Amino acid sequence: MKTRVIGVSLALGATVLTACVSVPRDAGAPEVRKAVSDRAAGVDVQIRAEASSADEPRLKALLSEDLSADAAVEIAMMRSPRLQMALAEVGIARGELIESSTIANPLLQADIRFPASPFNPFELRLSQTLVELIQLPKRRAIGRVAFQAASLRVTSEVLRFAADVRAAYYDLVASTLHLGRSRTIAEARKAAAELAMRQHDAQTINDLDLETEQATYEQAKLELARAERNLLGARAKLTIEMGIAHLPVDWRVPDAFPPLPPEERTQEELERLTAAQRLDLAIARLELDIARRRVPISRLAAFGEITIHGDIQREPDGIRTYGPGIDLPIPIFNTGRGARTRAEAAFVRARHLVDALTQEASATLAIARVTLDEARARVEYFRDVLLPRRRRIVELTKVAHNAMLIGVFQLLQAAQNEAEAQRDSIEAQREYWTARTDLDRVLNGIPGHDGMAGAGRGIERTSSPRFGGGH
């Protein structure tokens, strides 16, 4: 009887340990929202099981005006199914956290024998793995750390998505402005070609001059077609990013980039933000903690199938016997060396990854800062020097043309040169705002278009559904 009580107590103890698991249904979601808002002001993200019509008034209001970069990000946060795919990882990580805090169900075995007299003999066995019971607190701790890492990965993905939306937005603005300038150039070259045709008919210019103007016009038409194609592609990309491809709404972007901010952030401020916000470093440190915790757990890998059990047995003559038992694997062939070696190597790799990301942080920040400063300098040069000078040349050329000192072709060429300078200025502005977006990527430690930020490089996502090991 005493042994039966012991067996029942063990089973009840395992049940109580498992029942203690309590993970809120929204675990991870508030943390992701806060982490995103702390790193990207004004960006609010909601985890939704399906699309909601409650945002329709806000969506229509945003699309009824010239779309800004912030508005594009807000719409994407509301509508993009790809973003919701990333946010669903929070629920997956929550489920893995629950599994990391539970143990395998006890196993009930029943046997009966025929024939027998006066009673049929039977045997009942209730067994439970022992190693899982011993390691449960450690696996729970690993599960909590892994859940934090998963939440940071989701945060990184949300910020990466927002940065991609901004980059797509600036590409669309640039494509829109490029199309306008290409049309201006094409119209100017068309006028020059028509004039050249009339002058050639009047025999005031030769065949070479005519062919030169015609070829220049044909080249301008090709560039206009390319600009129209680029605009269609950029608009389609942003439409997909925002998740509004199915909406029959004629939305538009402004016909100019935003003005440059008065000043850029100082190096000290950037370094402070990098130290506080880089998600790749935070994830790598959590992965290092997980790897460190797994090393001692791996030392019992050879004994992973140890089970304890309680037995009730009735003999054919009706006598019943009770007793505990244990199933203990003999580590002859598998000594657990492979699991230990793998865990120790994973720890070394995680430690070196933290060191690598720490060293790369300052270098990538310096590259992003220099790129932004150079892009800003070019925008200011076009704005303050080159474009005013091109406009002045056009004005002086008009005066000279009115005075019949130069021909109309020189006037058209001056206008085309101004349009080309405006086109280069548009490209400089696009590169500046893209550089600002890439700097934010570096500050937050998320992947960029050029792979400059090191978020998640070499970090292996926990593949086992049970953080810290299986049965």
Side-chain angles (χ1 to χ4, degrees):
M1 183 64 70
K2 185 177 180 180
T3 55
R4 180 175 61 179
V5 173
I6 293 175
V8 173
S9 299
L10 289 173
L12 289 176
T15 303
V16 170
L17 286 171
T18 305
C20 290
V21 179
S22 178
V23 179
R25 292 183 61 85
D26 64 341
E31 291 80 2
V32 170
R33 291 186 64 187
K34 184 178 186 305
V36 171
S37 63
D38 289 345
R39 291 168 171 79
V43 178
D44 185 26
V45 59
Q46 299 283 349
I47 299 178
R48 300 171 179 176
E50 57 185 14
S52 173
S53 60
D55 298 321
E56 293 297 331
R58 177 60 179 166
L59 179 63
K60 291 180 179 179
L62 292 173
L63 294 177
S64 64
E65 303 174 351
D66 285 350
L67 193 67
S68 66
D70 291 339
V73 172
E74 182 178 350
I75 292 173
M77 293 295 119
M78 290 189 296
R79 304 289 301 187
S80 174
R82 291 195 173 273
L83 176 65
Q84 292 302 319
M85 286 172 57
L87 294 174
E89 291 291 330
V90 174
I92 296 174
R94 186 164 58 245
E96 293 176 347
L97 173 59
I98 295 173
E99 289 193 351
S100 73
S101 301
T102 58
I103 60 176
N105 293 321
L107 180 64
L108 176 63
Q109 294 175 295
D111 297 307
I112 189 169
R113 302 289 183 264
F114 301 98
S117 177
F119 301 101
N120 289 110
F122 69 84
E123 181 179 357
L124 298 178
R125 169 178 291 188
L126 183 64
S127 60
Q128 177 65 52
T129 58
L130 181 60
V131 173
E132 281 198 353
L133 288 172
I134 296 174
Q135 293 182 339
L136 182 59
K138 293 182 179 180
R139 293 195 298 106
R140 280 181 175 173
I142 292 177
R144 287 191 291 268
V145 177
F147 181 71
Q148 295 174 19
S151 298
L152 289 183
R153 288 192 191 94
V154 174
T155 301
S156 176
E157 182 63 18
V158 172
L159 293 175
R160 183 203 63 78
F161 181 80
D164 289 347
V165 172
R166 289 185 181 276
Y169 171 83
Y170 295 131
D171 286 344
L172 177 57
V173 173
S175 297
T176 303
L177 298 178
H178 277 314
L179 179 60
R181 297 298 173 264
S182 295
R183 284 174 176 166
T184 299
I185 293 174
E187 290 172 358
R189 300 320 306 179
K190 179 181 180 181
E194 292 175 347
L195 177 60
M197 180 66 72
R198 291 194 296 270
Q199 290 182 339
H200 183 267
D201 293 341
Q203 298 183 351
T204 56
I205 63 173
N206 57 30
D207 293 344
L208 176 61
D209 292 335
L210 174 62
E211 291 299 328
T212 299
E213 294 300 327
Q214 292 285 356
T216 303
Y217 173 47
E218 296 300 329
Q219 184 66 36
K221 288 197 298 183
L222 288 175
E223 293 177 355
L224 176 59
R226 184 182 300 111
E228 291 174 342
R229 182 201 63 194
N230 291 341
L231 176 61
L232 290 175
R235 186 177 179 88
K237 181 179 179 181
L238 183 58
T239 299
I240 294 173
E241 294 280 7
M242 292 192 298
I244 58 173
H246 64 288
L247 295 181
V249 180
D250 186 17
W251 52 276
R252 62 190 183 277
V253 296
D255 56 359
F257 280 97
L260 297 182
E263 59 184 11
E264 304 297 336
R265 287 168 288 193
T266 64
Q267 184 67 24
E268 293 76 12
E269 183 180 1
L270 292 175
E271 291 176 355
R272 186 173 63 254
L273 290 173
T274 300
Q277 294 187 177
R278 281 192 73 110
L279 291 167
D280 56 349
L281 270 172
I283 294 171
R285 292 189 181 108
L286 290 173
E287 291 285 350
L288 177 60
D289 189 17
I290 293 172
R292 178 183 61 80
R293 293 172 184 266
R294 282 179 175 164
V295 172
I297 289 179
S298 67
R299 293 169 185 162
L300 291 178
F303 301 96
E305 298 301 323
I306 294 179
T307 59
I308 55 176
H309 52 83
D311 295 275
I312 302 176
Q313 186 173 357
R314 187 177 69 181
E315 301 298 336
D317 56 6
I319 297 177
R320 296 190 182 190
T321 58
Y322 310 90
I326 184 169
D327 295 331
L328 181 64
I330 302 175
I332 297 177
F333 305 110
N334 181 8
T335 62
R337 183 180 178 184
R340 293 193 303 271
T341 302
R342 183 169 58 249
E344 291 167 357
F347 173 71
V348 172
R349 180 184 62 179
R351 184 177 60 194
H352 287 312
L353 176 61
V354 172
D355 294 341
L357 292 179
T358 302
Q359 294 176 13
E360 293 172 8
S362 59
T364 54
L365 177 61
I367 294 173
R369 176 66 187 274
V370 169
T371 302
L372 179 65
D373 290 344
E374 190 273 336
R376 183 185 181 100
R378 282 190 291 113
V379 172
E380 292 174 340
Y381 177 78
F382 275 104
R383 181 192 65 192
D384 302 333
V385 179
L386 189 55
L387 287 179
R389 183 159 293 175
R390 284 298 181 187
R391 285 193 291 269
R392 178 63 176 162
I393 290 175
V394 171
E395 293 172 358
L396 294 175
T397 305
K398 288 180 180 178
V399 172
H401 177 264
N402 292 336
M404 303 182 68
L405 298 177
I406 60 174
V408 67
F409 292 115
Q410 288 89 340
L411 177 59
L412 293 173
Q413 184 62 47
Q416 178 176 333
N417 291 340
E418 181 187 15
E420 290 176 350
Q422 291 173 342
R423 184 170 57 191
D424 293 339
S425 174
I426 292 169
E427 190 61 20
Q429 293 178 78
R430 184 194 67 80
E431 292 176 356
Y432 168 79
W433 288 104
T434 300
R436 278 186 67 90
T437 301
D438 288 340
L439 177 60
D440 289 336
R441 294 178 192 267
V442 172
L443 292 177
N444 291 313
I446 58 176
H449 292 299
D450 56 359
M452 193 184 321
R457 283 181 293 179
I459 297 177
E460 180 180 351
R461 176 177 169 80
T462 305
S463 59
S464 172
R466 300 175 62 84
F467 297 120
H471 307 323

